[in-house]
mmCIF file with all atom_site columns, all heavy atoms in Angstrom:
data_model
loop_
_atom_site.group_PDB
_atom_site.id
_atom_site.type_symbol
_atom_site.label_atom_id
_atom_site.label_alt_id
_atom_site.label_comp_id
_atom_site.label_asym_id
_atom_site.label_entity_id
_atom_site.label_seq_id
_atom_site.pdbx_PDB_ins_code
_atom_site.Cartn_x
_atom_site.Cartn_y
_atom_site.Cartn_z
_atom_site.occupancy
_atom_site.B_iso_or_equiv
_atom_site.pdbx_formal_charge
_atom_site.auth_seq_id
_atom_site.auth_comp_id
_atom_site.auth_asym_id
_atom_site.auth_atom_id
_atom_site.pdbx_PDB_model_num
ATOM 1   N N   . SER A 1 230 ? 74.238 83.373 85.755  1.00 95.00 ? 230 SER A N   1
ATOM 2   C CA  . SER A 1 230 ? 73.140 84.265 85.498  1.00 95.00 ? 230 SER A CA  1
ATOM 3   C C   . SER A 1 230 ? 72.551 84.772 86.797  1.00 95.00 ? 230 SER A C   1
ATOM 4   O O   . SER A 1 230 ? 72.901 84.315 87.903  1.00 95.00 ? 230 SER A O   1
ATOM 5   C CB  . SER A 1 230 ? 72.116 83.479 84.718  1.00 95.00 ? 230 SER A CB  1
ATOM 6   O OG  . SER A 1 230 ? 71.413 82.597 85.571  1.00 95.00 ? 230 SER A OG  1
ATOM 7   N N   . PRO A 1 231 ? 71.519 85.686 86.813  1.00 95.00 ? 231 PRO A N   1
ATOM 8   C CA  . PRO A 1 231 ? 70.924 86.002 88.018  1.00 95.00 ? 231 PRO A CA  1
ATOM 9   C C   . PRO A 1 231 ? 70.242 84.896 88.759  1.00 95.00 ? 231 PRO A C   1
ATOM 10  O O   . PRO A 1 231 ? 69.803 85.039 89.987  1.00 95.00 ? 231 PRO A O   1
ATOM 11  C CB  . PRO A 1 231 ? 69.928 86.977 87.549  1.00 95.00 ? 231 PRO A CB  1
ATOM 12  C CG  . PRO A 1 231 ? 70.435 87.485 86.284  1.00 95.00 ? 231 PRO A CG  1
ATOM 13  C CD  . PRO A 1 231 ? 71.107 86.403 85.581  1.00 95.00 ? 231 PRO A CD  1
ATOM 14  N N   . VAL A 1 232 ? 70.032 83.608 88.214  1.00 96.00 ? 232 VAL A N   1
ATOM 15  C CA  . VAL A 1 232 ? 69.419 82.608 88.859  1.00 96.00 ? 232 VAL A CA  1
ATOM 16  C C   . VAL A 1 232 ? 70.388 81.398 89.084  1.00 96.00 ? 232 VAL A C   1
ATOM 17  O O   . VAL A 1 232 ? 69.873 80.240 89.456  1.00 96.00 ? 232 VAL A O   1
ATOM 18  C CB  . VAL A 1 232 ? 68.128 82.105 88.135  1.00 96.00 ? 232 VAL A CB  1
ATOM 19  C CG1 . VAL A 1 232 ? 67.040 83.237 88.016  1.00 96.00 ? 232 VAL A CG1 1
ATOM 20  C CG2 . VAL A 1 232 ? 68.454 81.574 86.788  1.00 96.00 ? 232 VAL A CG2 1
ATOM 21  N N   . SER A 1 233 ? 71.566 81.625 88.805  1.00 97.00 ? 233 SER A N   1
ATOM 22  C CA  . SER A 1 233 ? 72.559 80.380 88.963  1.00 97.00 ? 233 SER A CA  1
ATOM 23  C C   . SER A 1 233 ? 72.999 80.161 90.389  1.00 97.00 ? 233 SER A C   1
ATOM 24  O O   . SER A 1 233 ? 74.183 80.062 90.673  1.00 97.00 ? 233 SER A O   1
ATOM 25  C CB  . SER A 1 233 ? 73.821 80.565 88.014  1.00 97.00 ? 233 SER A CB  1
ATOM 26  O OG  . SER A 1 233 ? 74.462 81.803 88.223  1.00 97.00 ? 233 SER A OG  1
ATOM 27  N N   . PHE A 1 234 ? 72.055 80.106 91.380  1.00 98.00 ? 234 PHE A N   1
ATOM 28  C CA  . PHE A 1 234 ? 72.499 79.948 92.630  1.00 98.00 ? 234 PHE A CA  1
ATOM 29  C C   . PHE A 1 234 ? 72.888 78.516 92.942  1.00 98.00 ? 234 PHE A C   1
ATOM 30  O O   . PHE A 1 234 ? 72.138 77.592 92.568  1.00 98.00 ? 234 PHE A O   1
ATOM 31  C CB  . PHE A 1 234 ? 71.309 80.382 93.602  1.00 98.00 ? 234 PHE A CB  1
ATOM 32  C CG  . PHE A 1 234 ? 71.150 81.857 93.717  1.00 98.00 ? 234 PHE A CG  1
ATOM 33  C CD1 . PHE A 1 234 ? 70.195 82.318 92.937  1.00 98.00 ? 234 PHE A CD1 1
ATOM 34  C CD2 . PHE A 1 234 ? 71.946 82.530 94.511  1.00 98.00 ? 234 PHE A CD2 1
ATOM 35  C CE1 . PHE A 1 234 ? 70.017 83.754 92.903  1.00 98.00 ? 234 PHE A CE1 1
ATOM 36  C CE2 . PHE A 1 234 ? 71.725 83.965 94.590  1.00 98.00 ? 234 PHE A CE2 1
ATOM 37  C CZ  . PHE A 1 234 ? 70.797 84.523 93.843  1.00 98.00 ? 234 PHE A CZ  1
ATOM 38  N N   . HIS A 1 235 ? 73.947 78.225 93.633  1.00 98.00 ? 235 HIS A N   1
ATOM 39  C CA  . HIS A 1 235 ? 74.427 76.940 93.984  1.00 98.00 ? 235 HIS A CA  1
ATOM 40  C C   . HIS A 1 235 ? 75.289 76.842 95.209  1.00 98.00 ? 235 HIS A C   1
ATOM 41  O O   . HIS A 1 235 ? 75.747 78.099 95.628  1.00 98.00 ? 235 HIS A O   1
ATOM 42  C CB  . HIS A 1 235 ? 75.285 76.362 92.673  1.00 98.00 ? 235 HIS A CB  1
ATOM 43  C CG  . HIS A 1 235 ? 76.450 77.341 92.355  1.00 98.00 ? 235 HIS A CG  1
ATOM 44  N ND1 . HIS A 1 235 ? 76.356 78.508 91.735  1.00 98.00 ? 235 HIS A ND1 1
ATOM 45  C CD2 . HIS A 1 235 ? 77.806 77.236 92.653  1.00 98.00 ? 235 HIS A CD2 1
ATOM 46  C CE1 . HIS A 1 235 ? 77.477 79.118 91.543  1.00 98.00 ? 235 HIS A CE1 1
ATOM 47  N NE2 . HIS A 1 235 ? 78.386 78.225 92.098  1.00 98.00 ? 235 HIS A NE2 1
ATOM 48  N N   . GLN A 1 236 ? 75.653 75.763 95.749  1.00 98.00 ? 236 GLN A N   1
ATOM 49  C CA  . GLN A 1 236 ? 76.507 75.637 96.847  1.00 98.00 ? 236 GLN A CA  1
ATOM 50  C C   . GLN A 1 236 ? 77.335 74.357 96.773  1.00 98.00 ? 236 GLN A C   1
ATOM 51  O O   . GLN A 1 236 ? 76.986 73.430 95.976  1.00 98.00 ? 236 GLN A O   1
ATOM 52  C CB  . GLN A 1 236 ? 75.753 75.759 98.140  1.00 98.00 ? 236 GLN A CB  1
ATOM 53  C CG  . GLN A 1 236 ? 74.985 74.359 98.421  1.00 98.00 ? 236 GLN A CG  1
ATOM 54  C CD  . GLN A 1 236 ? 74.391 74.362 99.786  1.00 98.00 ? 236 GLN A CD  1
ATOM 55  O OE1 . GLN A 1 236 ? 74.407 75.383 100.452 1.00 98.00 ? 236 GLN A OE1 1
ATOM 56  N NE2 . GLN A 1 236 ? 73.786 73.231 100.159 1.00 98.00 ? 236 GLN A NE2 1
ATOM 57  N N   . VAL A 1 237 ? 78.427 74.291 97.472  1.00 98.00 ? 237 VAL A N   1
ATOM 58  C CA  . VAL A 1 237 ? 79.219 72.970 97.667  1.00 98.00 ? 237 VAL A CA  1
ATOM 59  C C   . VAL A 1 237 ? 78.888 72.583 99.115  1.00 98.00 ? 237 VAL A C   1
ATOM 60  O O   . VAL A 1 237 ? 79.185 73.352 100.058 1.00 98.00 ? 237 VAL A O   1
ATOM 61  C CB  . VAL A 1 237 ? 80.710 73.180 97.560  1.00 98.00 ? 237 VAL A CB  1
ATOM 62  C CG1 . VAL A 1 237 ? 81.394 71.894 97.922  1.00 98.00 ? 237 VAL A CG1 1
ATOM 63  C CG2 . VAL A 1 237 ? 80.984 73.658 96.036  1.00 98.00 ? 237 VAL A CG2 1
ATOM 64  N N   . SER A 1 238 ? 78.028 71.552 99.270  1.00 98.00 ? 238 SER A N   1
ATOM 65  C CA  . SER A 1 238 ? 77.692 71.039 100.562 1.00 98.00 ? 238 SER A CA  1
ATOM 66  C C   . SER A 1 238 ? 78.906 70.673 101.300 1.00 98.00 ? 238 SER A C   1
ATOM 67  O O   . SER A 1 238 ? 79.965 70.325 100.787 1.00 98.00 ? 238 SER A O   1
ATOM 68  C CB  . SER A 1 238 ? 76.625 69.848 100.384 1.00 98.00 ? 238 SER A CB  1
ATOM 69  O OG  . SER A 1 238 ? 77.268 68.813 99.994  1.00 98.00 ? 238 SER A OG  1
ATOM 70  N N   . GLU A 1 239 ? 78.657 70.609 102.650 1.00 98.00 ? 239 GLU A N   1
ATOM 71  C CA  . GLU A 1 239 ? 79.753 70.344 103.639 1.00 98.00 ? 239 GLU A CA  1
ATOM 72  C C   . GLU A 1 239 ? 80.255 68.966 103.369 1.00 98.00 ? 239 GLU A C   1
ATOM 73  O O   . GLU A 1 239 ? 79.504 67.956 103.136 1.00 98.00 ? 239 GLU A O   1
ATOM 74  C CB  . GLU A 1 239 ? 79.184 70.326 105.043 1.00 98.00 ? 239 GLU A CB  1
ATOM 75  C CG  . GLU A 1 239 ? 80.173 70.138 106.080 1.00 98.00 ? 239 GLU A CG  1
ATOM 76  C CD  . GLU A 1 239 ? 79.586 70.087 107.610 1.00 98.00 ? 239 GLU A CD  1
ATOM 77  O OE1 . GLU A 1 239 ? 78.459 70.455 107.677 1.00 98.00 ? 239 GLU A OE1 1
ATOM 78  O OE2 . GLU A 1 239 ? 80.292 69.674 108.422 1.00 98.00 ? 239 GLU A OE2 1
ATOM 79  N N   . VAL A 1 240 ? 81.643 68.844 103.258 1.00 98.00 ? 240 VAL A N   1
ATOM 80  C CA  . VAL A 1 240 ? 82.190 67.442 103.211 1.00 98.00 ? 240 VAL A CA  1
ATOM 81  C C   . VAL A 1 240 ? 82.171 66.747 104.605 1.00 98.00 ? 240 VAL A C   1
ATOM 82  O O   . VAL A 1 240 ? 82.556 67.214 105.632 1.00 98.00 ? 240 VAL A O   1
ATOM 83  C CB  . VAL A 1 240 ? 83.802 67.618 102.837 1.00 98.00 ? 240 VAL A CB  1
ATOM 84  C CG1 . VAL A 1 240 ? 84.458 66.365 102.746 1.00 98.00 ? 240 VAL A CG1 1
ATOM 85  C CG2 . VAL A 1 240 ? 83.848 68.231 101.454 1.00 98.00 ? 240 VAL A CG2 1
ATOM 86  N N   . LEU A 1 241 ? 81.539 65.453 104.503 1.00 98.00 ? 241 LEU A N   1
ATOM 87  C CA  . LEU A 1 241 ? 81.251 64.835 105.802 1.00 98.00 ? 241 LEU A CA  1
ATOM 88  C C   . LEU A 1 241 ? 82.176 63.756 106.118 1.00 98.00 ? 241 LEU A C   1
ATOM 89  O O   . LEU A 1 241 ? 82.097 63.178 107.249 1.00 98.00 ? 241 LEU A O   1
ATOM 90  C CB  . LEU A 1 241 ? 79.785 64.361 105.646 1.00 98.00 ? 241 LEU A CB  1
ATOM 91  C CG  . LEU A 1 241 ? 78.685 65.328 105.334 1.00 98.00 ? 241 LEU A CG  1
ATOM 92  C CD1 . LEU A 1 241 ? 77.350 64.669 105.099 1.00 98.00 ? 241 LEU A CD1 1
ATOM 93  C CD2 . LEU A 1 241 ? 78.606 66.300 106.347 1.00 98.00 ? 241 LEU A CD2 1
ATOM 94  N N   . THR A 1 242 ? 83.060 63.384 105.247 1.00 97.00 ? 242 THR A N   1
ATOM 95  C CA  . THR A 1 242 ? 84.001 62.195 105.413 1.00 97.00 ? 242 THR A CA  1
ATOM 96  C C   . THR A 1 242 ? 85.309 62.570 105.769 1.00 97.00 ? 242 THR A C   1
ATOM 97  O O   . THR A 1 242 ? 85.947 63.322 104.866 1.00 97.00 ? 242 THR A O   1
ATOM 98  C CB  . THR A 1 242 ? 83.888 61.218 104.262 1.00 97.00 ? 242 THR A CB  1
ATOM 99  O OG1 . THR A 1 242 ? 82.424 60.794 104.104 1.00 97.00 ? 242 THR A OG1 1
ATOM 100 C CG2 . THR A 1 242 ? 84.723 59.976 104.572 1.00 97.00 ? 242 THR A CG2 1
ATOM 101 N N   . LYS A 1 243 ? 85.829 62.112 106.900 1.00 96.00 ? 243 LYS A N   1
ATOM 102 C CA  . LYS A 1 243 ? 87.259 62.371 107.095 1.00 96.00 ? 243 LYS A CA  1
ATOM 103 C C   . LYS A 1 243 ? 88.275 61.663 106.191 1.00 96.00 ? 243 LYS A C   1
ATOM 104 O O   . LYS A 1 243 ? 87.934 60.504 105.757 1.00 96.00 ? 243 LYS A O   1
ATOM 105 C CB  . LYS A 1 243 ? 87.659 61.971 108.592 1.00 96.00 ? 243 LYS A CB  1
ATOM 106 C CG  . LYS A 1 243 ? 87.087 62.886 109.611 1.00 96.00 ? 243 LYS A CG  1
ATOM 107 C CD  . LYS A 1 243 ? 87.384 62.489 111.103 1.00 96.00 ? 243 LYS A CD  1
ATOM 108 C CE  . LYS A 1 243 ? 86.790 63.395 112.139 1.00 96.00 ? 243 LYS A CE  1
ATOM 109 N NZ  . LYS A 1 243 ? 87.200 62.928 113.495 1.00 96.00 ? 243 LYS A NZ  1
#
Side-chain angles (χ1 to χ4, degrees):
S230 75
V232 298
S233 57
F234 287 100
H235 58 284
Q236 71 172 9
V237 177
S238 67
E239 182 185 353
V240 175
L241 304 176
T242 303
K243 289 183 179 179

